[in-house]
Amino acid sequence: VAEADWVHSSMQLDFDEDVAFKVKRKLREFARRRTARVHNGQGPVQERPFFVHASFTQPHDPYSGPQEFWDQYEDVEIDMPTIPFIPRDQRDHHSARVYDCMDNGDFDMTEERIRKARRAYYSMMSYVDSKIAEMLATLDQEGLRKDTLVIVLSDHGDMLGERGMWFKETFHERATRVPLFFHAEPELAQRLGLGSPREVPHNVSLIDLLPTFADLMCAPGEDWRAMLPAEVEGRSLLASLKGDFKSCECAQQDTIYCEYTSEMIPGGWFMVKKGDLKYVYSQHAPLLFDLKADPHEMVNVADNAEYREVATSLRRLAEAKWPDLPGLNDRILRSQRCRRMIHEAMMKGKRPAWDYQPMEDASRQYIRNTGESLQDLEYVCRAPYRGKRPEK
């Protein structure tokens, strides 16, 4: 945070530039397959639908904003956090532990540093917006936009100094509530029955995406559950996207679950959100926030007599979902011991790489001496396609 500033280049930028480039190239490949079918008299129908996942690292710490987009915020009043720094002794157990592990007062977080960090984050957001615009422009150029459902989402947010907290690692709204947009051009929206743009008023989770995708692929009358090889926790959002909240299981339950079993919290940390009520469950004292009455989550009402009944109900949901927290902690420690032993052994001798290695065959990417006419091949690969080549 203290190092936040603009950059010409970074590892994150290199990665994100590569993502955008490869996605746009892949979209052009799909379009060329269609063009080849038309050119050869086979018709424009694609052999199968495509699914492209464009995963950008930004916006994310470290806060290093690309200069072009950093400069867009010159002379712009960068807002300060709505909730100022909360001293450690006034924080809940988990927030205090995050403070101990990630901050501990080692840096003087001046107003200038906070504004620079937020400016860098905003510039990273603008950068990703520009990459999304590039991909949408490619869909338009290749004639694919009208048949493509575009979904924009994020895996987490960032506290950005709210309450004196940074990054994620918390169930506060700033870190947990993420954007989720579905967009279809009018013709596709009509085919899918999505109707006019709307906001879904109930709680949804990212685990609802897979069931929604499966539901979109179902024929009328088919159950999306029958398409999947095993039961999944998510629920389809398609009915809600169509505005039919009464028949949407997700809308009727209006309940989501989140869990955090990563850094800085022994035994895990869990959350149930039902309507506007958020219940945080762990081996420590529970937290309960009424987001309608207290959108900034300043008052823990878990022990408030007025909320006793709802707190009991949410606790039972949490206990049913995660029935054995002490046992979970034991399993985590046992797993860590096993993995540390394996890691120590694997670091000796030749070290294996478990990272996914995408295969790229340059011999098939560009114009090669494959026996095809260079002019014919290049003509089909151009966009836009302008019909058969003139014979004379």
Side-chain angles (χ1 to χ4, degrees):
V1 178
E3 297 172 347
D5 215 324
W6 62 267
V7 294
H8 288 306
S9 63
S10 68
M11 294 296 288
Q12 289 194 87
L13 278 173
D14 287 352
F15 180 89
D16 290 345
E17 286 292 321
D18 206 28
V19 168
F21 170 76
K22 289 183 176 178
V23 166
K24 290 184 290 184
R25 184 168 66 183
K26 193 66 179 180
L27 293 175
R28 287 192 289 268
E29 286 181 14
F30 291 137
R32 286 166 182 165
R33 293 177 193 172
R34 178 199 56 197
T35 300
R37 291 177 61 86
V38 172
H39 189 74
N40 295 327
Q42 297 173 296
V45 179
Q46 292 210 358
E47 296 180 2
R48 62 177 183 173
F50 66 78
F51 181 94
V52 175
H53 177 204
S55 181
F56 296 97
T57 63
Q58 298 186 75
H60 201 284
D61 63 278
Y63 307 126
S64 302
Q67 185 179 15
E68 174 188 353
F69 299 93
W70 171 277
D71 289 346
Q72 292 178 7
Y73 291 90
E74 187 71 27
D75 299 323
V76 173
E77 182 68 21
I78 302 299
D79 59 327
M80 288 290 286
T82 303
I83 307 301
F85 179 86
I86 298 177
R88 186 195 183 285
D89 61 358
Q90 298 177 26
R91 300 187 182 199
D92 63 82
H93 177 271
H94 180 67
S95 298
R97 183 168 176 81
V98 170
Y99 177 81
D100 292 340
C101 295
M102 302 186 67
D103 188 335
N104 204 28
D106 292 336
F107 292 89
D108 181 16
M109 291 311 300
T110 63
E111 180 177 326
E112 179 185 6
R113 282 179 166 174
I114 293 172
R115 289 191 190 277
K116 284 187 71 174
R118 291 167 75 95
R119 177 178 177 177
Y121 193 88
Y122 296 162
S123 66
M124 298 165 97
M125 291 172 63
S126 296
Y127 167 79
V128 172
D129 283 347
S130 74
K131 296 293 115 178
I132 294 173
E134 289 179 15
M135 294 185 293
L136 293 178
T138 301
L139 285 171
D140 284 330
Q141 293 163 3
E142 301 297 342
L144 299 172
R145 181 78 173 272
K146 62 183 178 63
D147 296 313
T148 302
L149 179 65
V150 178
I151 304 169
V152 180
L153 67 150
S154 176
D155 57 338
H156 61 81
D158 194 300
M159 291 301 289
L160 284 183
E162 295 291 339
R163 316 168 79 93
M165 300 176 70
W166 297 87
F167 318 133
K168 43 184 180 178
E169 289 94 14
T170 177
F171 288 136
H172 286 303
E173 290 288 280
R174 186 71 185 238
T176 309
R177 188 173 183 176
V178 296
L180 179 57
F181 298 97
F182 287 74
H183 175 77
E185 292 295 296
E187 181 181 334
L188 178 60
Q190 185 175 11
R191 292 207 310 265
L192 297 176
L194 301 183
S196 59
R198 63 176 52 84
E199 182 177 336
V200 172
H202 57 81
N203 290 307
V204 304
S205 170
L206 296 183
I207 64 172
D208 298 325
L209 287 173
L210 176 60
T212 304
F213 295 156
D215 206 1
L216 283 165
M217 299 302 296
C218 282
E222 275 190 311
D223 187 344
W224 62 266
R225 295 172 180 84
M227 295 186 63
L228 302 178
E231 184 178 354
V232 296
E233 293 187 63
R235 299 149 300 184
S236 173
L237 303 175
L238 184 55
S240 284
L241 292 174
K242 295 179 177 180
D244 184 9
F245 303 125
K246 291 184 179 180
S247 65
C248 181
E249 180 184 359
C250 195
Q252 294 303 306
Q253 296 180 0
D254 199 13
T255 303
I256 58 170
Y257 299 87
C258 297
E259 57 186 51
Y260 181 81
T261 55
S262 188
E263 307 99 326
M264 296 171 290
I265 184 68
W269 210 46
F270 309 90
M271 185 262 280
V272 180
K273 186 168 183 283
K274 186 175 182 65
D276 291 315
L277 295 166
K278 178 188 292 186
Y279 186 81
V280 180
Y281 174 65
S282 70
Q283 296 185 67
H284 302 280
L287 304 175
L288 176 60
F289 298 107
D290 182 343
L291 297 178
K292 185 175 183 179
D294 177 28
H296 298 304
E297 302 169 282
M298 298 299 293
V299 182
N300 177 16
V301 295
D303 295 326
N304 188 315
E306 295 182 15
Y307 289 87
R308 183 174 298 133
E309 184 176 339
V310 71
T312 299
S313 174
L314 293 172
R315 187 187 71 246
R316 287 172 178 166
L317 288 177
E319 289 173 343
K321 186 73 170 179
W322 302 285
D324 183 20
L325 291 195
L328 173 62
N329 190 55
D330 291 341
R331 293 196 298 275
I332 289 172
L333 293 175
R334 184 165 60 249
S335 174
Q336 288 176 343
R337 287 193 294 269
C338 293
R339 286 181 283 126
R340 286 176 67 88
M341 184 189 74
I342 294 171
H343 176 76
E344 183 179 353
M346 299 299 280
M347 289 300 99
K348 297 177 181 177
K350 184 178 180 180
R351 299 183 181 183
W354 299 103
D355 306 79
Y356 171 65
Q357 300 291 334
M359 177 62 184
E360 290 191 357
D361 186 356
S363 69
R364 302 177 63 86
Q365 283 183 320
Y366 308 108
I367 297 295
R368 303 291 181 179
N369 186 16
T370 60
E372 299 176 77
S373 166
L374 184 150
Q375 295 297 330
D376 288 343
L377 182 59
E378 175 62 20
Y379 186 81
V380 172
C381 290
R382 293 175 187 169
Y385 175 66
R386 293 187 170 90
K388 295 287 187 179
R389 298 180 66 194
E391 297 181 2
K392 293 184 180 179

